[in-house]
Amino acid sequence: INLKPRRQIINENTLVTMLRGASTRFARSALHYRPALTHAIPQFTQLTNKYGQRQMTTIQESSDATNAWKKSCYMEIDFTINENATVYDAVQRFAAFDVGALISVDDNGDIAGVISERDYITKIALLGRTSKETKVKEISTKAANLVTATPHDGLDSCMQKMIGRGIRHLPLLDDDGKVVGMLSIKDLVKSIIAEKEKTIQVLSDFALGKGGVLGAE
């Protein structure tokens, strides 16, 4: 007598059907528990912080420009340049800091515009001009034509502004119009991906009964 258990063979079509059924059931559960899930996310953070367990930020905390700015390469450098400096000075800083744009400021430190690598290529290199004899303010995009954001703007809002105007850098201004930061398209993409992954993790924990909501890790 063969006592070895039979190995169940599942073909590809059966597996796909099973996965579709599971995803449908999960979606229905998510809709049913949607009100509780809205409160579950911040509660999970509060409980883990209270008992000194694994730290985890809420979706609300991670979805604004401030969080993206804190992780940006621009956070660690002086990303401004005087508008009366030469384009050559700007290019040197592009290379030194490995960035693609700088915010130009006037003598009072107020935003005057933005100068980018693209400005150098299209307005200096291709036109045969000399970067050492051209000032930043001659080729930069002026403040009046800039698209800006505030530190409290959402990531989606910032992304829409960039895509809508076809730009790759977004100055951050405070309520008084003073420069407080700079975001690149890469910074936003990284932050949005991290936020989506965090949301998926919270949803998974909630569906499996993990996290602060049910008191289990």
Side-chain angles (χ1 to χ4, degrees):
I1 300 175
N2 186 5
L3 299 179
K4 293 183 179 181
R6 290 186 176 182
R7 183 178 298 173
Q8 186 176 4
I9 300 176
I10 302 177
N11 60 37
E12 183 177 351
N13 291 333
T14 302
L15 182 59
V16 170
T17 301
M18 292 172 62
L19 289 174
R20 284 178 177 173
S23 63
T24 300
R25 289 192 296 273
F26 180 79
R28 289 173 179 171
S29 298
L31 289 173
H32 179 71
Y33 291 107
R34 186 174 181 180
L37 184 58
T38 302
H39 300 288
I41 295 173
Q43 287 175 6
F44 179 79
T45 301
Q46 293 167 3
L47 288 175
T48 52
N49 288 341
K50 178 179 178 181
Y51 295 106
Q53 297 171 354
R54 176 168 56 92
Q55 298 290 317
M56 182 174 181
T57 58
T58 64
I59 293 176
Q60 289 86 347
E61 289 175 336
S62 63
S63 60
D64 61 20
T66 300
N67 241 267
W69 159 240
K70 290 178 180 179
K71 301 173 184 177
S72 172
C73 63
Y74 283 98
M75 180 74 177
E76 302 175 354
I77 67 172
D78 179 7
F79 51 86
T80 63
I81 187 170
N82 191 283
E83 63 178 348
N84 292 310
T86 65
V87 174
Y88 182 78
D89 292 332
V91 172
Q92 282 188 313
R93 297 183 66 179
F94 290 156
F97 296 136
D98 193 24
V99 295
L102 296 169
I103 294 178
S104 61
V105 295
D106 59 23
D107 293 333
N108 295 321
D110 296 326
I111 185 170
V114 169
I115 181 172
S116 67
E117 293 174 325
R118 187 180 300 174
D119 291 324
Y120 170 75
I121 293 173
T122 59
K123 301 174 184 177
I124 298 293
L126 292 179
L127 298 180
R129 301 171 69 179
T130 305
S131 61
K132 291 184 177 181
E133 298 176 357
T134 306
K135 292 183 178 182
V136 168
K137 64 182 179 181
E138 295 180 44
I139 68 168
S140 62
T141 301
K142 299 301 179 286
N145 299 321
L146 288 178
V147 177
T148 63
T150 72
H152 307 296
D153 285 348
L155 296 179
D156 290 339
S157 174
C158 292
M159 182 64 78
Q160 289 174 3
K161 289 181 179 182
M162 284 191 172
I163 294 176
R165 290 290 294 271
I167 56 178
R168 296 177 296 169
H169 298 87
L170 194 65
L172 297 180
L173 307 182
D174 63 17
D175 295 335
D176 297 323
K178 297 292 184 181
V179 179
V180 294
M182 170 91 109
L183 288 178
S184 69
I185 189 73
K186 182 170 64 175
D187 296 329
L188 285 181
V189 170
K190 286 182 178 180
S191 293
I192 289 175
I193 290 175
E195 179 188 345
K196 301 308 179 187
E197 289 177 346
K198 194 171 297 181
T199 303
I200 291 171
Q201 184 61 53
V202 173
L203 289 171
S204 298
D205 288 346
F206 182 78
L208 295 175
K210 296 182 180 180
V213 178
L214 300 179
E217 177 58 34

